[in-house]
Amino acid sequence: MATSISHRKPRYQPNVSDFLALCGRNYGYMQKWLPLDIEVGQSWQLEGEAGVLVIRILENTKYTQLVEISRPVKIMEFINTPKVLVRIYHDAKLAEVLTGQQIYQLRPVYDYPNLRMYHSDEKYQVNAFLGELLKIGSQQRLVCQS
């Protein structure tokens, strides 16, 4: 009697502890230069050795902020400016990416393969990318733009 053995890869299960730790680190990076009492629409630049970050406040409430973080590149005709929309939760001390470059809303888990070829852990990877962007601003010189 023949038995069939399934070589199917198990469904990806996100590690919530790792994800929250990553969002907590990103929050820590941002608290070095993000004021609580800033007005909606204000923007500024962080200039570091590895480049420039442009930060713009889109929403500012008692417990949360919504910011857009972008990293301008010199050869814009070939490369889109990396940009993320980040929700900052001051009560939980977390910073989470809500949207990425071409992703309108990130889901916690994607089936793989999928039409857009997102990774199963796309949400984690985009938040890790935010961590890399924020390292630019860890040793920064602040330039206000308003």
Side-chain angles (χ1 to χ4, degrees), residues 31-71:
Q31 288 312 295
K32 294 177 183 178
W33 44 259
L34 184 68
L36 284 172
D37 58 346
I38 195 160
E39 293 184 29
V40 172
Q42 283 187 305
S43 64
W44 67 92
Q45 286 186 358
L46 297 173
E47 295 180 357
E49 291 179 18
V52 174
L53 290 181
V54 177
I55 296 96
R56 186 167 57 110
I57 300 293
L58 302 176
E59 184 181 291
N60 197 14
T61 65
K62 185 174 182 179
Y63 298 109
T64 67
Q65 289 178 309
L66 184 63
V67 298
E68 179 185 78
I69 301 173
S70 59
R71 186 184 187 291

Side-chain angles (χ1 to χ4, degrees), residues 76-125:
M76 292 186 64
E77 62 269 6
F78 299 113
I79 301 173
N80 290 335
T81 299
K83 188 184 302 185
V84 290
L85 198 61
V86 180
R87 171 75 66 195
I88 302 164
Y89 303 95
H90 294 290
D91 52 348
K93 298 187 181 339
L94 299 172
E96 176 187 17
V97 175
L98 299 180
T99 64
Q101 197 69 23
Q102 284 86 22
I103 305 172
Y104 174 69
Q105 185 176 11
L106 286 164
R107 292 191 293 187
V109 176
Y110 289 90
D111 290 329
Y112 191 83
N114 56 64
L115 290 175
R116 300 208 184 257
M117 294 306 292
Y118 295 141
H119 293 274
S120 299
D121 63 343
E122 189 79 20
K123 186 168 186 129
Y124 183 89
Q125 289 191 30

